[in-house]
Short mmCIF file of all heavy atoms in Angstrom, two decimals:
data_model
loop_
_atom_site.label_atom_id
_atom_site.label_comp_id
_atom_site.label_asym_id
_atom_site.label_seq_id
_atom_site.Cartn_x
_atom_site.Cartn_y
_atom_site.Cartn_z
N THR Z 570 86.61 103.14 113.41
CA THR Z 570 87.99 102.40 113.53
C THR Z 570 87.80 101.00 112.99
O THR Z 570 88.87 100.42 112.72
CB THR Z 570 88.34 102.47 115.00
OG1 THR Z 570 87.07 102.13 115.83
CG2 THR Z 570 88.76 103.72 115.51
N ALA Z 571 86.63 100.36 113.13
CA ALA Z 571 86.47 99.04 112.62
C ALA Z 571 86.40 99.00 111.14
O ALA Z 571 86.04 99.97 110.50
CB ALA Z 571 85.15 98.39 113.23
N SER Z 572 86.91 97.94 110.49
CA SER Z 572 86.96 97.90 109.05
C SER Z 572 86.19 96.84 108.62
O SER Z 572 85.79 95.78 109.28
CB SER Z 572 88.43 97.71 108.58
OG SER Z 572 88.89 96.54 109.14
N THR Z 573 85.67 96.87 107.29
CA THR Z 573 85.05 95.69 106.68
C THR Z 573 85.67 95.25 105.47
O THR Z 573 86.34 96.07 104.80
CB THR Z 573 83.54 96.23 106.22
OG1 THR Z 573 83.77 97.42 105.44
CG2 THR Z 573 82.66 96.34 107.36
N PRO Z 574 85.77 93.95 105.21
CA PRO Z 574 86.56 93.35 104.13
C PRO Z 574 85.93 93.58 102.81
O PRO Z 574 84.62 93.65 102.83
CB PRO Z 574 86.70 91.94 104.47
CG PRO Z 574 85.48 91.61 105.41
CD PRO Z 574 85.13 92.77 106.21
N ALA Z 575 86.67 93.98 101.91
CA ALA Z 575 86.04 94.01 100.37
C ALA Z 575 87.00 93.41 99.43
O ALA Z 575 88.24 93.59 99.46
CB ALA Z 575 85.93 95.57 100.08
N LEU Z 576 86.39 92.71 98.60
CA LEU Z 576 87.19 91.99 97.46
C LEU Z 576 87.68 93.05 96.40
O LEU Z 576 86.93 93.98 96.14
CB LEU Z 576 86.46 90.81 96.94
CG LEU Z 576 86.09 89.77 97.66
CD1 LEU Z 576 85.20 88.74 97.09
CD2 LEU Z 576 87.42 88.91 98.17
N ALA Z 577 88.84 92.91 95.86
CA ALA Z 577 89.21 93.73 94.67
C ALA Z 577 88.27 93.84 93.55
O ALA Z 577 88.12 94.87 92.89
CB ALA Z 577 90.57 93.32 94.25
N SER Z 578 87.68 92.69 93.31
CA SER Z 578 86.58 92.66 92.26
C SER Z 578 85.40 93.60 92.51
O SER Z 578 84.78 94.07 91.59
CB SER Z 578 86.10 91.20 92.11
OG SER Z 578 85.61 90.77 93.29
N ALA Z 579 85.20 93.93 93.84
CA ALA Z 579 84.11 94.90 94.04
C ALA Z 579 84.51 96.31 93.52
O ALA Z 579 83.47 97.11 93.26
CB ALA Z 579 83.93 94.97 95.59
N PHE Z 580 85.66 96.46 93.19
CA PHE Z 580 86.12 97.81 92.70
C PHE Z 580 86.42 97.65 91.18
O PHE Z 580 86.97 98.42 90.54
CB PHE Z 580 87.34 98.29 93.39
CG PHE Z 580 87.18 98.38 94.96
CD1 PHE Z 580 87.72 97.48 95.79
CD2 PHE Z 580 86.62 99.53 95.39
CE1 PHE Z 580 87.45 97.67 97.04
CE2 PHE Z 580 86.35 99.53 96.78
CZ PHE Z 580 86.77 98.78 97.64
N GLY Z 581 86.05 96.44 90.70
CA GLY Z 581 86.24 96.18 89.23
C GLY Z 581 87.71 95.89 88.95
O GLY Z 581 88.13 96.02 87.72
N ALA Z 582 88.49 95.40 89.90
CA ALA Z 582 89.91 95.31 89.61
C ALA Z 582 90.26 93.79 89.66
O ALA Z 582 89.82 92.99 90.41
CB ALA Z 582 90.74 95.91 90.68
N PRO Z 583 91.36 93.43 88.72
CA PRO Z 583 91.74 92.04 88.69
C PRO Z 583 92.83 92.01 89.88
O PRO Z 583 93.21 92.98 90.48
CB PRO Z 583 92.38 91.93 87.40
CG PRO Z 583 92.79 93.31 87.03
CD PRO Z 583 91.76 94.20 87.58
N THR Z 584 93.25 90.78 90.25
CA THR Z 584 94.23 90.58 91.25
C THR Z 584 95.51 89.99 90.65
O THR Z 584 95.41 89.14 89.73
CB THR Z 584 93.68 89.54 92.32
OG1 THR Z 584 92.56 90.21 93.01
CG2 THR Z 584 94.79 89.18 93.32
N GLY Z 585 96.62 90.51 91.07
CA GLY Z 585 97.87 90.13 90.45
C GLY Z 585 98.33 88.81 91.05
O GLY Z 585 98.00 88.30 91.97
N ARG Z 586 99.03 88.08 90.16
CA ARG Z 586 99.47 86.74 90.40
C ARG Z 586 100.97 86.54 90.43
O ARG Z 586 101.56 85.72 91.17
CB ARG Z 586 98.85 85.75 89.49
CG ARG Z 586 97.36 85.71 89.27
CD ARG Z 586 96.83 84.66 89.96
NE ARG Z 586 95.31 84.82 89.97
CZ ARG Z 586 94.53 85.11 91.07
NH1 ARG Z 586 95.08 85.32 92.27
NH2 ARG Z 586 93.20 85.32 90.96
N GLU Z 587 101.77 87.35 89.73
CA GLU Z 587 103.11 87.29 89.46
C GLU Z 587 103.84 88.35 90.27
O GLU Z 587 103.42 89.54 90.31
CB GLU Z 587 103.61 87.33 88.03
CG GLU Z 587 102.85 86.32 87.11
CD GLU Z 587 103.22 84.90 87.51
OE1 GLU Z 587 104.44 84.60 87.86
OE2 GLU Z 587 102.24 84.11 87.48
N PRO Z 588 105.13 88.02 90.60
CA PRO Z 588 106.00 89.03 91.22
C PRO Z 588 106.35 90.15 90.19
O PRO Z 588 106.64 89.77 88.97
CB PRO Z 588 107.28 88.35 91.77
CG PRO Z 588 107.24 87.06 91.13
CD PRO Z 588 105.77 86.77 90.67
N ILE Z 589 106.45 91.34 90.65
CA ILE Z 589 106.75 92.41 89.70
C ILE Z 589 107.74 93.42 90.24
O ILE Z 589 107.83 93.52 91.47
CB ILE Z 589 105.40 93.32 89.28
CG1 ILE Z 589 104.68 93.71 90.56
CG2 ILE Z 589 104.52 92.35 88.33
CD1 ILE Z 589 103.46 94.50 90.32
N PRO Z 590 108.40 94.16 89.37
CA PRO Z 590 109.40 95.08 89.92
C PRO Z 590 108.74 96.40 90.41
O PRO Z 590 107.55 96.61 89.98
CB PRO Z 590 110.26 95.44 88.70
CG PRO Z 590 109.39 95.13 87.40
CD PRO Z 590 108.48 94.05 87.93
N VAL Z 591 109.47 97.14 91.15
CA VAL Z 591 108.84 98.27 91.76
C VAL Z 591 108.97 99.45 90.78
O VAL Z 591 110.25 99.76 90.30
CB VAL Z 591 109.50 98.69 93.12
CG1 VAL Z 591 108.88 100.00 93.67
CG2 VAL Z 591 109.35 97.48 94.03
N GLY Z 592 107.86 100.22 90.45
CA GLY Z 592 107.95 101.41 89.58
C GLY Z 592 107.95 102.61 90.36
O GLY Z 592 108.42 103.62 90.00
N ALA Z 593 107.08 102.72 91.45
CA ALA Z 593 107.00 103.98 92.29
C ALA Z 593 106.72 103.63 93.69
O ALA Z 593 106.11 102.65 93.95
CB ALA Z 593 105.82 104.80 91.69
N VAL Z 594 107.35 104.56 94.56
CA VAL Z 594 107.00 104.48 95.93
C VAL Z 594 106.50 105.88 96.25
O VAL Z 594 107.05 107.02 95.89
CB VAL Z 594 108.36 104.36 96.78
CG1 VAL Z 594 108.05 104.38 98.26
CG2 VAL Z 594 109.02 102.88 96.45
N ALA Z 595 105.26 105.84 96.82
CA ALA Z 595 104.57 107.16 97.13
C ALA Z 595 104.44 107.24 98.69
O ALA Z 595 103.64 106.51 99.28
CB ALA Z 595 103.21 107.20 96.50
N VAL Z 596 105.25 108.17 99.21
CA VAL Z 596 105.04 108.37 100.63
C VAL Z 596 104.11 109.61 100.81
O VAL Z 596 104.43 110.72 100.63
CB VAL Z 596 106.50 108.81 101.23
CG1 VAL Z 596 106.39 108.90 102.79
CG2 VAL Z 596 107.61 107.78 100.78
N ALA Z 597 102.96 109.18 101.20
CA ALA Z 597 101.75 110.11 101.22
C ALA Z 597 101.19 110.31 102.64
O ALA Z 597 100.78 109.31 103.20
CB ALA Z 597 100.81 109.74 100.23
N ARG Z 598 101.20 111.51 103.11
CA ARG Z 598 100.56 111.69 104.44
C ARG Z 598 99.20 112.56 104.19
O ARG Z 598 99.24 113.47 103.48
CB ARG Z 598 101.37 112.48 105.26
CG ARG Z 598 101.12 112.37 106.85
CD ARG Z 598 102.08 113.15 107.67
NE ARG Z 598 102.10 114.51 107.25
CZ ARG Z 598 102.86 115.46 107.85
NH1 ARG Z 598 103.74 115.21 108.75
NH2 ARG Z 598 102.79 116.77 107.41
N TYR Z 599 98.13 112.04 104.71
CA TYR Z 599 96.82 112.62 104.56
C TYR Z 599 96.60 113.88 105.27
O TYR Z 599 96.90 113.92 106.57
CB TYR Z 599 95.66 111.45 104.87
CG TYR Z 599 94.31 112.20 104.82
CD1 TYR Z 599 93.71 112.46 103.59
CD2 TYR Z 599 93.63 112.54 105.94
CE1 TYR Z 599 92.48 113.03 103.52
CE2 TYR Z 599 92.40 113.04 105.85
CZ TYR Z 599 91.69 113.44 104.64
OH TYR Z 599 90.48 113.94 104.48
N ARG Z 600 96.04 114.93 104.68
CA ARG Z 600 95.58 116.14 105.41
C ARG Z 600 94.41 116.62 104.60
O ARG Z 600 94.45 116.68 103.43
CB ARG Z 600 96.84 117.11 105.26
CG ARG Z 600 96.54 118.20 106.45
CD ARG Z 600 97.42 119.35 106.46
NE ARG Z 600 97.33 120.20 105.18
CZ ARG Z 600 98.46 120.66 104.47
NH1 ARG Z 600 99.57 120.39 104.90
NH2 ARG Z 600 98.13 121.47 103.52
N LYS Z 601 93.31 116.77 105.50
CA LYS Z 601 92.02 117.19 104.80
C LYS Z 601 92.17 118.45 104.01
O LYS Z 601 92.92 119.48 104.45
CB LYS Z 601 90.97 117.48 105.92
CG LYS Z 601 89.68 117.44 105.44
CD LYS Z 601 88.78 117.68 106.71
CE LYS Z 601 87.36 118.21 106.30
NZ LYS Z 601 86.56 117.28 105.42
N GLY Z 602 91.83 118.47 102.79
CA GLY Z 602 91.89 119.63 101.90
C GLY Z 602 93.15 119.78 101.22
O GLY Z 602 93.34 120.81 100.39
N ALA Z 603 94.06 118.93 101.46
CA ALA Z 603 95.47 119.10 100.73
C ALA Z 603 95.36 118.63 99.27
O ALA Z 603 94.48 117.96 98.95
CB ALA Z 603 96.47 118.37 101.48
N HIS Z 604 96.36 119.12 98.51
CA HIS Z 604 96.39 118.58 97.07
C HIS Z 604 97.66 117.77 97.03
O HIS Z 604 98.71 118.29 97.61
CB HIS Z 604 96.42 119.85 96.10
CG HIS Z 604 95.05 120.51 96.15
ND1 HIS Z 604 93.99 119.97 95.53
CD2 HIS Z 604 94.75 121.63 96.74
CE1 HIS Z 604 93.04 120.85 95.65
NE2 HIS Z 604 93.40 121.92 96.44
N TRP Z 605 97.66 116.80 96.22
CA TRP Z 605 98.85 115.96 96.09
C TRP Z 605 99.78 116.58 95.09
O TRP Z 605 99.64 116.45 93.91
CB TRP Z 605 98.47 114.44 95.65
CG TRP Z 605 99.41 113.52 95.30
CD1 TRP Z 605 99.66 112.99 94.08
CD2 TRP Z 605 100.47 112.90 96.21
NE1 TRP Z 605 100.64 112.11 94.09
CE2 TRP Z 605 101.19 112.06 95.32
CE3 TRP Z 605 100.83 113.12 97.47
CZ2 TRP Z 605 102.31 111.32 95.84
CZ3 TRP Z 605 101.76 112.46 98.04
CH2 TRP Z 605 102.64 111.47 97.21
N ARG Z 606 100.70 117.36 95.61
CA ARG Z 606 101.89 117.73 94.76
C ARG Z 606 103.12 117.38 95.32
O ARG Z 606 103.97 118.07 95.98
CB ARG Z 606 101.81 119.35 94.83
CG ARG Z 606 100.59 119.94 94.08
CD ARG Z 606 100.71 121.48 93.86
NE ARG Z 606 99.42 122.03 93.59
CZ ARG Z 606 98.67 122.49 94.66
NH1 ARG Z 606 99.20 122.50 95.89
NH2 ARG Z 606 97.50 123.16 94.33
N PRO Z 607 103.42 116.06 94.98
CA PRO Z 607 104.69 115.60 95.66
C PRO Z 607 105.98 115.99 95.24
O PRO Z 607 106.14 116.59 94.03
CB PRO Z 607 104.49 114.11 95.29
CG PRO Z 607 103.87 113.99 93.98
CD PRO Z 607 102.97 115.19 94.02
N ARG Z 608 106.98 115.93 96.09
CA ARG Z 608 108.41 116.18 95.79
C ARG Z 608 108.97 114.85 95.32
O ARG Z 608 108.73 113.82 95.84
CB ARG Z 608 109.12 116.68 96.97
CG ARG Z 608 109.80 118.02 96.80
CD ARG Z 608 110.20 118.67 98.06
NE ARG Z 608 110.12 117.94 99.28
CZ ARG Z 608 111.37 117.49 99.90
NH1 ARG Z 608 112.52 117.71 99.34
NH2 ARG Z 608 111.32 116.91 101.14
N ARG Z 609 109.83 114.93 94.27
CA ARG Z 609 110.57 113.74 93.97
C ARG Z 609 111.83 113.51 94.94
O ARG Z 609 112.56 114.51 95.13
CB ARG Z 609 111.16 113.81 92.51
CG ARG Z 609 111.40 112.62 92.05
CD ARG Z 609 111.38 112.66 90.35
NE ARG Z 609 112.07 111.38 89.88
CZ ARG Z 609 112.06 110.88 88.80
NH1 ARG Z 609 111.29 111.57 87.85
NH2 ARG Z 609 112.51 109.83 88.31
N MET Z 610 111.92 112.35 95.45
CA MET Z 610 112.89 112.17 96.52
C MET Z 610 113.97 111.25 95.87
O MET Z 610 113.70 110.56 94.76
CB MET Z 610 112.36 111.38 97.69
CG MET Z 610 111.05 112.03 98.24
SD MET Z 610 111.53 113.57 99.09
CE MET Z 610 112.22 113.09 100.56
#
Side-chain angles (χ1 to χ4, degrees):
Chain Z
T570 46
S572 62
T573 48
L576 295 172
S578 56
F580 304 101
T584 295
R586 305 260 173 246
E587 300 298 323
I589 49 171
V591 180
V594 175
V596 184
R598 203 178 54 180
Y599 174 75
R600 199 185 67 220
K601 195 176 164 65
H604 295 283
W605 173 244
R606 291 192 200 93
R608 231 164 22 101
R609 200 162 167 161
M610 311 292 283

